[in-house]
Amino acid sequence: MADLILFNKPFQVLCQFTDEPAGNEQTSRATLADWIRIPDIYPAGRLDYDSEGLLLLTSDGALQHRIASPGQNMPKTYWVQVEGNLSTSALDKLTAGMMLKDGPTRPAKARIISEPEIWPRTPPVRRRDTIPTSWLELTITEGRNRQVRRMTAAVGFPTLRLIRYRIGDWTLDGLEPGKYRKIPINLPTPSRPGKRSTHKRSATSPRRGRSS
């Protein structure tokens, strides 16, 4: 058994437990430590500072690997508010996959949705009276840096607000911003003595270091 923490990360919170102001920065930014007071847990994957929604944390290295490793292809679903009236051709490009600067994306699932019933963001998303906005539900199986934002920009619809709703079978349902829930997870039975394991354990433990 292992514990998994489901956390609804608010806007402008670092996906780490410490922040070291760099350059001319005078104050630290909000971190996970401002919301979660559970020792020895680590994010399984990351979520950008300016993105909101579901973040998974655990103290178990094997579980962290299952969730965060790119080779696991775990699907992640996002609710994305974009600038402009989203077109069918843009959806087709998102679904088929596209070329970004770091290579082609895998095919995704994309559909236009009504504005979801969610909390107001603080500060609110900038609005322009002459430019409409659309909501998109996008499911990907990758985790590249700022991938969703780069994908919507590449098809001509810049992201205004980004909320991760689902990772695998876990969702935001029932979680207000800044709140978390702990659930037990049954891990696979370890290999029997004498049988060679195909899983290579990392030489270093997960760290709560500063993300790039």
Side-chain angles (χ1 to χ4, degrees):
M1 296 290 291
D3 285 332
L4 184 67
I5 307 300
L6 281 64
F7 176 57
N8 187 349
K9 188 187 85 67
F11 181 64
Q12 293 186 340
V13 173
L14 283 176
C15 188
Q16 57 195 50
F17 284 86
T18 60
D19 182 34
E20 300 174 3
N24 295 326
E25 295 177 0
Q26 300 296 318
T27 59
S28 297
R29 293 167 289 183
T31 71
L32 299 178
D34 296 310
W35 305 90
I36 304 175
R37 301 298 176 88
I38 301 175
D40 302 323
I41 60 170
Y42 308 90
R46 64 187 305 275
L47 190 59
D48 292 330
Y49 178 70
D50 51 356
S51 298
E52 308 161 70
L54 186 61
L55 179 67
L56 303 180
L57 303 97
T58 182
S59 62
D60 188 277
L63 179 58
Q64 185 191 44
H65 175 78
R66 282 176 54 194
I67 296 170
S69 173
Q72 299 296 320
N73 296 334
M74 185 167 287
K76 304 173 184 68
T77 298
Y78 297 84
W79 291 337
V80 194
Q81 184 181 19
V82 299
E83 191 174 85
N85 287 320
L86 199 59
S87 65
T88 301
S89 61
L91 285 180
D92 291 341
K93 292 176 183 177
L94 292 169
T95 301
M98 64 185 61
M99 181 62 69
L100 300 178
K101 289 184 178 180
D102 52 356
T105 65
R106 296 173 187 164
K109 294 180 180 179
R111 66 187 183 100
I112 297 172
I113 61 172
S114 301
E115 182 175 352
E117 296 182 1
I118 50 175
W119 57 92
R121 201 188 76 176
T122 304
V125 174
R126 60 182 171 85
R127 291 189 179 275
R128 299 179 183 177
D129 293 337
T130 59
I131 301 178
T133 66
S134 308
W135 280 90
L136 162 75
E137 183 179 86
L138 181 66
T139 300
I140 62 176
T141 56
E142 302 170 275
R144 304 188 204 177
N145 185 44
R146 302 182 73 80
Q147 180 175 343
V148 172
R149 295 177 187 275
R150 290 191 290 141
M151 288 175 69
T152 67
V155 296
F157 295 89
T159 291
L160 300 175
R161 187 176 184 187
L162 181 58
I163 300 169
R164 186 160 64 197
Y165 170 69
R166 180 189 296 270
I167 301 175
D169 294 329
W170 301 291
T171 74
L172 276 181
D173 293 341
L175 280 177
E176 294 296 323
K179 301 298 183 181
Y180 64 85
R181 179 169 62 249
K182 181 188 296 187
I183 60 174
I185 300 294
N186 288 312
L187 296 176
T189 303
S191 301
R192 294 179 182 178
K195 288 190 175 183
R196 187 175 180 179
S197 173
T198 58
H199 175 69
K200 295 182 179 180
R201 187 175 181 180
S202 174
T204 59
S205 299
R207 298 179 62 187
R208 299 190 183 192
R210 183 184 179 94
S211 62
S212 59

